[in-house]
Amino acid sequence: MGSIEKARVFAHAAHKAIGHKRKYTGACYTAHLEEVARPVKDAGGTDAMIAAAWLHDVVEDTDIVQADIETWFDAEIAELVFWLTDVSRPQDGNRAHRKAMDWAHLVQSSAAAQAIKTCDLISNARDICTHDKNLGRVFVGEKIALMEAMTKVPTDLRIAANTTIAECRQILL
């Protein structure tokens, strides 16, 4: 089994083990992971990037810890997952403070990690802005700031993210 398929199966099992579903639709959580992995692949992402796209939420959202990723996957995939995982915790303060902590972590990451994060942003923006206009308004502002802070995002993905953010702004009017 290749690294992409291994990551897909691993992520599916981890999210399924906790009954994780998409917040607004109740869809299987792996639908979101596929919405991140597919554009990473379409943008020419490496196998490690595509695998990390499948795994990008397992440390944040499931019982999996970073050491598990380091055990089961190679160092390149584990490093990408490390950079994609939020470092803040609810006890770290309000949302603005937590997001600032997460962005400070993310902006130090590689172009590969920032590309994956951009695909994640696009998937989440569509879902949030369609289903939760109050959070959507906050989310759009946060993501505009994040896209400005992430300086290593490939141009094609930056354009796609900015287009999605603009579409969200129209939905939220």
Side-chain angles (χ1 to χ4, degrees):
M1 180 183 315
S3 62
I4 296 170
E5 181 63 11
K6 182 178 174 182
R8 188 191 68 75
V9 169
F10 188 94
H12 182 76
H15 289 281
K16 185 176 181 179
I18 62 164
H20 199 192
K21 304 278 186 193
R22 283 301 273 170
K23 181 177 181 179
Y24 303 110
T25 64
C28 179
Y29 196 78
T30 54
H32 165 65
L33 304 177
E34 185 174 349
E35 286 180 0
V36 177
R38 187 180 329 107
V40 169
K41 179 181 179 184
D42 292 347
T46 64
D47 285 0
M49 290 171 66
I50 299 164
W54 280 103
L55 297 166
H56 79 275
D57 280 337
V58 296
V59 175
E60 281 178 33
D61 296 343
T62 75
D63 296 330
I64 300 298
V65 296
Q66 184 66 29
D68 295 326
I69 301 299
E70 293 166 4
T71 298
W72 288 96
F73 296 93
D74 70 34
E76 184 179 5
I77 294 168
E79 181 176 357
L80 286 167
V81 172
F82 167 78
W83 288 112
L84 293 165
T85 301
D86 287 346
V87 295
S88 70
R89 300 292 168 250
Q91 62 270 23
D92 290 330
N94 66 26
R95 181 179 175 95
H97 181 71
R98 292 191 319 270
K99 291 301 173 191
M101 291 174 65
D102 297 334
W103 297 344
H105 171 74
L106 186 60
V107 298
Q108 298 174 60
S109 70
S110 66
Q114 290 185 16
I116 298 164
K117 186 62 172 182
T118 301
C119 294
D120 180 42
L121 177 157
I122 292 167
S123 173
N124 284 327
R126 290 179 180 141
D127 200 34
I128 291 169
C129 292
T130 300
H131 295 99
D132 188 340
K133 292 189 183 226
N134 289 330
L135 177 57
R137 288 178 185 91
V138 173
F139 183 88
V140 165
E142 291 171 347
K143 298 318 166 194
I144 289 169
L146 178 60
M147 288 307 299
E148 289 174 4
M150 290 195 305
T151 60
K152 301 169 194 162
V153 176
T155 302
D156 57 337
L157 290 177
R158 183 174 298 282
I159 291 168
N162 289 336
T163 299
T164 299
I165 290 168
E167 291 168 356
C168 285
R169 292 175 98 174
Q170 289 300 310
I171 291 169
L172 298 170
L173 291 178

